[in-house]
Amino acid sequence: MSDTAVATPATPDSVPTHPDPCDLPGTVRFVAPDGARLTPGEHESRSTPQAMRDVVDNLSPQELRELYREMVLTRALDGEATSLQRQGELALWPECRGQEGAQIGSAHALRPRDHVFPSYREHGVALSRGVGPGELLKLFRAIDHGGWDPTAYGFHLYTLVIGSHTLHATGYAMGIQRDGDVGTGDPERDRAVVVYFGDGATAQGDVNEALVFAATVSAPIVFFIQNNHWAISAPTAIQTTVPLVDRASGFGIPGIRVDGNDVVAVRAATEVALERARSGKGPVLIEAVTYRMGAHTTSDDPTRYRERAEEEAWRRRDPIDRLSALLLAEGHADEAYFAEIGEESSRLTAQLRAYCRALTPPPVESMFEHVYAAPHPDVEAERAWYGEYAASFLPEGE
């Protein structure tokens, strides 16, 4: 679907015959690509834990509509930011189109006191946690340090170094554990961490070290892999010989493989994983199988390494179309509702465009601020040197 268009439900005839990796036994799925709910026994769903079924059964029509709304707004944000970069307004933008189900579904399982460590593509999670879209644009316009207050949103700063933030997340989870905020049985106190990364990051040493630490100390953390099939131009097939979820057992932790384009299934799987972590039973690894419909970043050209047939097959498994079909089929939404969300997304893109174009570079001297928590003599010396250097260009007397 387009960035702001009203969704039209998929039909059985539009479901692709291209092999679906989510058909592998054990992959959690509750809603088929055509929007139909799966009953127990279908699609290997007999192996799905009852706890996940309970989560799905308890989802209200209002929450289903909100899942849809946030996915559409995420896509609108993503599409507008991509256009802004093409127009020279942003330095770079990493697209998340196609991954809205994995992001919004998991974000809805979080509690306010949980903490998220994103990589750099989790725009939907940021939106769901309350981070203003403009904060994301400031980072990619490169006019400040790209920071927001992580404690205000329970959402850490974007990390561009692949995989390094998994260690940061594990250390934070260990801190939660040592604060005694795990396994108390008090939902207002117990909390956990979710760290997001892609399939390509699983090859990084930092990720594996984080898994070792988390497993051995039973840290309250969920490792959330968005397997979007491409680590820039390298397909998952040349990164691993087994499903990524199977790596969890090597570290002695449970793993869940979920259809990342089924927002309902992702919501259920993440809630069960987080409840385990919060209760003190240790980490969980989730592999959400999805697809990056856009480019790795706007500096990438996916036509050089991907086939159009593959892209079309995944386009027909679109997470937004899938949920819209479910909402229509079950009478939870109508065309007026979809039009309302379409109008909201149009307003969002217009506001983003105006906001981005109104941004102005900060004073150069601001680069010396917020480098350390307290004043540092080296930084102050550099600030003084720059002041003298800049003044040397001014006419005498000014």
Side-chain angles (χ1 to χ4, degrees), residues 10 13-17 33 311-318 322:
D13 290 339
S14 71
V15 177
T17 57
E311 294 179 352
E312 181 59 28
W314 279 97
R315 186 171 291 109
R316 292 171 179 169
R317 300 185 185 108
D318 188 289
R322 186 180 307 197

Side-chain angles (χ1 to χ4, degrees), residues 62-113:
Q62 177 57 37
E63 180 161 6
L64 291 173
R65 287 192 293 268
E66 186 59 23
L67 289 169
Y68 174 84
R69 172 181 172 271
E70 289 187 15
M71 285 197 292
V72 172
L73 294 180
T74 298
R75 183 162 297 184
L77 158 66
D78 188 60
E80 183 59 30
T82 300
S83 296
L84 287 167
Q85 194 283 328
R86 300 303 189 199
Q87 296 161 14
E89 301 289 348
L90 299 178
L92 187 76
W93 183 257
E95 295 183 71
C96 70
R97 180 161 47 96
Q99 299 180 218
E100 298 90 353
Q103 294 191 12
I104 299 302
S106 57
H108 270 240
L110 292 161
R111 292 178 183 169
R113 279 173 51 79

